[in-house]
Amino acid sequence: MERRNYRRNDYIMGNTARQLEPAVQDRPQIRNNRVSERKKAKSALAINGVSVFIMAVVAAFCLATFVAYLYLHSTIAETRENIAQIKTDINTVQSQNDALKYSINTYVDSENVYNVATKKLGMRQAKGNQLSIYKSSDKGYTVQYGDIPNK
C-alpha cells in the first residue's frame, strides 16, 4: 500500500531534503512534450517569404532615408559656408566702396564747381523770379516727360 502512494506523490520521503523523481509512466509523455515544444519553436522561428520581403523593403527605406538625411546635412553645411564667404566678400566690397566714396568726396570742391560753371561754361546764378517751385506728391524720384508750365 505504501508503494502505491510512493508512485502517486512522486517524492521520496526521508531524513534528507525532498527530491522530485518522475514516475516511470510519465517519462514518455515528457519526451513527447519536449519534441512538440521543439517543433513549435522551429515553426515559430521559421520566416516565410512575405515577411522577408517586407523586412527588406523596410530596411531599404531606412537606408534611403539615412542617405538622404546625410546628403541634406552636407548640403546645408556647404550652404552655410558659402553664405559666410559671401558675407565676407560683401563686407570687403562695402569697405572698398566707402573708401572710394570718401576719396571722391575729398576731390569735390563746391567753390571749384561754381567757378568752372560761371567762368568756363558761362552759366549764371538764377534769380528769384526765374525759380519755379514744384511740389511732388511722391517722395521718390520724378520722371519729367515734358516742360513744367509757367505760372
Side-chain angles (χ1 to χ4, degrees):
M1 185 171 206
E2 195 171 316
R3 270 217 188 269
R4 246 191 220 166
N5 288 341
Y6 172 71
R7 287 191 181 182
R8 282 189 196 161
N9 291 336
D10 294 334
Y11 288 102
I12 298 174
M13 303 287 189
N15 60 357
T16 61
R18 296 179 181 178
Q19 295 179 354
L20 179 64
E21 185 177 310
V24 177
Q25 63 187 1
D26 293 342
R27 286 186 186 176
Q29 189 177 19
I30 290 172
R31 286 184 187 157
N32 287 340
N33 286 342
R34 287 182 186 166
V35 170
S36 65
E37 286 175 5
R38 286 182 191 159
K39 287 181 182 177
K40 287 179 185 176
K42 284 183 181 179
S43 66
L45 292 177
I47 300 174
N48 59 11
V50 175
S51 60
V52 169
F53 177 74
I54 291 172
M55 284 190 288
V57 168
V58 169
F61 176 75
C62 290
L63 180 66
T65 304
F66 181 69
V67 169
Y69 171 76
L70 288 179
Y71 176 75
L72 186 62
H73 189 359
S74 66
T75 304
I76 289 172
E78 184 179 339
T79 303
R80 285 183 180 166
E81 290 175 6
N82 289 342
I83 289 172
Q85 181 62 39
I86 290 170
K87 283 183 179 180
T88 305
D89 293 345
I90 288 173
N91 288 336
T92 303
V93 170
Q94 280 181 340
S95 64
Q96 289 174 350
N97 283 347
D98 291 342
L100 285 173
K101 185 177 179 181
Y102 178 74
S103 108
I104 289 170
N105 286 338
T106 57
Y107 289 117
V108 175
D109 182 17
S110 60
E111 190 168 322
N112 185 25
V113 171
Y114 179 77
N115 287 335
V116 169
T118 56
K119 294 179 182 172
K120 189 173 181 182
L121 299 174
M123 298 173 103
R124 289 184 278 153
Q125 185 79 27
K127 295 183 179 163
N129 62 352
Q130 293 176 328
L131 297 176
S132 296
I133 298 174
Y134 175 74
K135 291 185 180 181
S136 173
S137 62
D138 189 13
K139 293 185 179 184
Y141 66 94
T142 303
V143 178
Q144 181 176 344
Y145 293 108
D147 293 332
I148 297 175
N150 290 334
K151 291 183 181 179

